[in-house]
Amino acid sequence: MKQTSTFICQQCGYQSASFLGKCPECGEWNSLVETLVGDRPAVTLGQQNLNIDLFKLSDVKSQAIKRISTGFSEFDRVLGGGVVPGSIVLISGDPGIGKSTLLLQCAMQIAKGQLGNLAVRSVGKKTSKSSSSLSGSTELTAEVLRAEGPNAQNPNNPEHVVLYVTGEESSQQVKIRADRLGTVLGDLYILPETGVETIIAAAQKLSPTLLIIDSIQTVVSQKLSGSAGSVGQLRECSQILQRFAKGAKTGVFIVGHVTKEGSIAGPKVLEHLVDAVLNLEGDDMHAFRLLRSSKNRFGSTFEVGVFEMQDKGLIQVDNPSQIFLEQRISARAGSVVTSTLAGGRPILAEIQALCASTIFPVPTRRVGGLDFSRMQIVIASLSKVSKLALGNLDIYLNVAGGLKIVEPAADLPAALAVVSAAVDKSVKEGICAFGEVGLLGELRPVANLKVRVEEAKRLGFNDFVSPDRFKTLEEATSYAIHGE
Ligand code: TYD
Ligand code: MG
């Protein structure tokens, strides 16, 4: 079948042989995407011979999936129990957040973990080079990041082979990072390459357990003329990788940077093509990184993995509540502990408020880690019910430690923190607050009360200010602040 590429408008389907900035049909800008088309033989419907077996779903045997551990229990949990062979997982996140670090650590752990005891090996230098001619003229050079070992003779044992394809960095740069993260053991191969055809050829040669593509925005297919990172290239390369993953039963991780435009050439265009989408979140100012799944065909999307970036890479945080409360000064006005749910897991966090008399005609409202429009409503209903003159105060609200809380359960603790800061009186000791605040100042119940309470009790917070105990915001504030 002859294949050519054509530019198709994503809005109206208009086709053009060359790229156009504006679609002449519907007038949309930048909507033409290069797409491969093949001339298919014309078929008359109803005249084909059906030569496929039809079977009932009930006759399909259930198979237990053997998952591969990434070496991080936090990561495995977010994936739903480990990497499913043949699945394709997109890891997205802002540049510099730690995607390459996380995946290189996983690659090292898989390559090392399944080889048994390797402590006595001499490792660390890249010495062996394998090169061979693959797929016609394509010359492949995959370097193995290890010195020697029992598997050197048999590099094709898929149990412990990982192929790390780097399109952004040279193998030397990856090696420097790997040295920083620990000693490289086992069959971890590195391929500095951007051509998807070469990558597939290399992967077919190695048949690795795990194939890592860092990043998809650098990968190009020869079949398309579009530049790396364009929507057409992203789609085509991901489809090729997906076909390989399914056929070879290899787990594939692809890294996707979140671009400023988000929807254009960003990971968004790939979301429907992959089995799971994981986002690595955090900010530059804090060491914490949260790994959340926004789509997962093999597990729940409620799970969250917590990591901390240290000088030797990411380490998993098993007890995030303790860490988020570590620097808390409990007797300070404006600090309230809440029990929030990050995925299915409760985490204790500190909500801080600062109120200062304003020098501006319109007082400032700054919110970090919480939903700004929700907080505006909370402050408005607070000024109504508490008779506090909040209109003269600049109010700053923040979640300590860089955590982001989007759920409405943070309304009540935020309100208490504001009142506490405004009257300059700390909340009662041992208080943990959560609850949604309605427009009229009524408190509304939150989900998963039991898990929140258990986590708070575990860390010594036994006095709960919650909607099942107080009906209104006034009652809750007068108890938490004035003890009555
Ligand atoms: P990186 O994994 O390169 O980010 P991404 O691939 O998402 O763009 O991580 C880059 C940041 O992580 C960089 O600012 C340095 C920091 N870092 C550490 O703090 N400790 C480490 O051990 C490593 C390897 C990186
Ligand atoms: Mg990177």
Side-chain angles (χ1 to χ4, degrees):
M1 190 171 81
K2 194 172 154 258
Q3 280 198 326
T4 48
S5 80
T6 176
F7 292 82
I8 300 176
C9 173
Q10 302 298 298
Q11 289 288 328
C12 67
Y14 174 84
Q15 297 196 7
S16 159
S18 60
F19 179 75
L20 301 167
K22 187 180 176 188
C23 174
E25 187 83 19
C26 66
E28 187 72 19
W29 285 94
N30 290 329
S31 65
L32 269 76
V33 169
E34 192 183 16
T35 314
L36 279 184
V37 287
D39 36 330
R40 295 172 187 225
V43 217
T44 323
L45 279 181
Q47 290 187 355
Q48 307 100 308
N49 291 329
L50 190 66
N51 52 7
I52 47 162
D53 295 332
L54 287 172
F55 44 80
K56 291 182 189 161
L57 187 57
S58 56
D59 295 340
V60 179
K61 283 203 188 95
S62 307
Q63 277 184 336
I65 321 166
K66 189 173 164 261
R67 292 177 185 252
I68 305 140
S69 169
T70 56
F72 283 120
S73 58
E74 292 286 300
F75 198 168
D76 288 350
R77 223 198 25 245
V78 178
L79 286 168
V83 189
V84 176
S87 70
I88 178 159
V89 178
L90 173 68
I91 315 264
S92 71
D94 295 334
I97 202 81
K99 300 178 294 296
S100 306
T101 309
L102 178 69
L103 291 182
L104 186 58
Q105 279 179 286
C106 291
M108 288 165 73
Q109 284 162 13
I110 290 177
K112 176 171 75 179
Q114 296 179 346
L115 285 168
N117 184 11
L118 292 161
V120 288
R121 282 219 215 151
S122 62
V123 287
K125 289 174 288 174
K126 53 165 196 191
T127 49
S128 70
K129 272 196 176 187
S130 64
S131 76
S132 60
S133 196
L134 286 160
S135 65
S137 61
T138 321
E139 191 71 18
L140 161 75
T141 316
E143 296 162 7
V144 55
L145 275 175
R146 103 191 131 77
E148 57 198 59
N151 298 298
Q153 294 82 32
N154 179 21
N156 293 329
N157 184 347
E159 281 291 296
H160 48 248
V161 179
V162 179
L163 178 58
Y164 187 104
V165 179
T166 167
E168 296 188 344
E169 294 159 306
S170 68
S171 41
Q172 261 315 316
Q173 283 172 302
V174 177
K175 177 68 179 151
I176 292 167
R177 179 181 293 136
D179 284 341
R180 191 170 165 188
L181 299 171
T183 322
V184 183
L185 295 169
D187 285 329
L188 169 53
Y189 289 80
I190 176 133
L191 178 66
E193 177 59 57
T194 54
V196 72
E197 287 81 13
T198 317
I199 295 169
I200 295 296
Q204 275 165 348
K205 182 175 182 243
L206 281 171
S207 49
T209 296
L210 187 66
L211 170 65
I212 296 169
I213 311 289
D214 189 1
S215 66
I216 191 71
Q217 271 112 343
T218 59
V219 177
V220 282
S221 167
Q222 288 166 1
K223 292 181 203 153
L224 297 178
S225 62
S227 61
S230 64
V231 178
Q233 286 285 10
L234 282 181
R235 277 206 201 140
E236 180 63 22
C237 295
S238 311
Q239 266 160 3
I240 293 175
L241 288 165
Q242 188 203 36
R243 276 198 295 274
F244 167 75
K246 300 276 175 270
K249 291 267 171 278
T250 294
V252 178
F253 279 147
I254 54 180
V255 170
H257 293 293
V258 173
T259 53
K260 260 207 184 118
E261 297 81 16
S263 57
I264 302 168
K268 276 268 173 240
V269 295
L270 304 175
E271 283 184 2
H272 67 281
L273 284 172
V274 297
D275 295 312
V277 180
L278 310 185
N279 307 304
L280 192 60
E281 302 169 358
D283 60 57
D284 302 344
M285 301 301 159
H286 296 92
F288 293 106
R289 302 282 182 268
L290 295 185
L291 187 68
R292 284 178 204 272
S293 65
S294 58
K295 162 181 174 175
N296 195 349
R297 286 184 183 148
F298 304 108
S300 97
T301 50
F302 291 112
E303 292 298 348
V304 170
V306 186
F307 296 87
E308 190 180 347
M309 182 63 94
Q310 293 197 344
D311 55 351
K312 279 194 164 38
L314 287 160
I315 57 154
Q316 40 187 357
V317 177
D318 300 325
N319 192 354
S321 299
Q322 204 159 8
I323 288 182
F324 285 121
L325 295 184
E326 221 160 41
Q327 267 110 35
R328 177 168 184 254
I329 313 170
S330 55
R332 277 280 158 88
S335 159
V336 176
V337 172
T338 184
S339 186
T340 179
L341 285 185
R345 176 199 223 189
I347 294 181
L348 289 204
E350 179 193 0
I351 296 189
Q352 299 181 330
L354 172 68
C355 295
S357 48
T358 186
I359 52 163
F360 304 107
V362 179
T364 310
R365 304 278 182 256
R366 285 270 156 77
V367 175
L370 295 160
D371 185 62
F372 184 65
S373 46
R374 283 209 78 83
M375 290 308 120
Q376 277 185 314
I377 296 173
V378 167
I379 293 169
S381 84
L382 199 59
S383 40
K384 183 94 192 256
V385 300
S386 71
K387 310 277 185 301
L388 284 171
L390 296 175
N392 301 329
L393 297 174
D394 287 337
I395 302 178
Y396 305 90
L397 269 165
N398 189 32
V399 184
L403 197 70
K404 286 191 182 67
I405 309 181
V406 283
E407 58 163 359
D411 293 357
L412 180 57
L416 295 182
V418 171
V419 178
S420 162
V423 301
D424 200 17
K425 194 170 173 202
S426 65
V427 294
K428 275 182 75 181
E429 215 175 304
I431 274 186
C432 176
F434 43 83
E436 184 179 342
V437 176
L439 287 186
L440 308 178
E442 80 279 16
L443 301 185
R444 292 165 182 270
V446 293
N448 298 32
L449 192 71
K450 206 164 148 241
V451 279
R452 291 178 203 262
V453 167
E454 271 165 19
E455 178 71 0
K457 282 191 177 154
R458 199 171 66 76
L459 285 141
F461 294 89
N462 292 307
D463 198 354
F464 296 99
V465 179
S466 59
D468 56 327
R469 204 168 146 204
F470 301 99
K471 291 283 157 272
T472 60
L473 193 53
E474 305 95 287
E475 286 172 32
T477 40
S478 75
Y479 174 77
I481 314 249
H482 309 293
E484 52 209 37

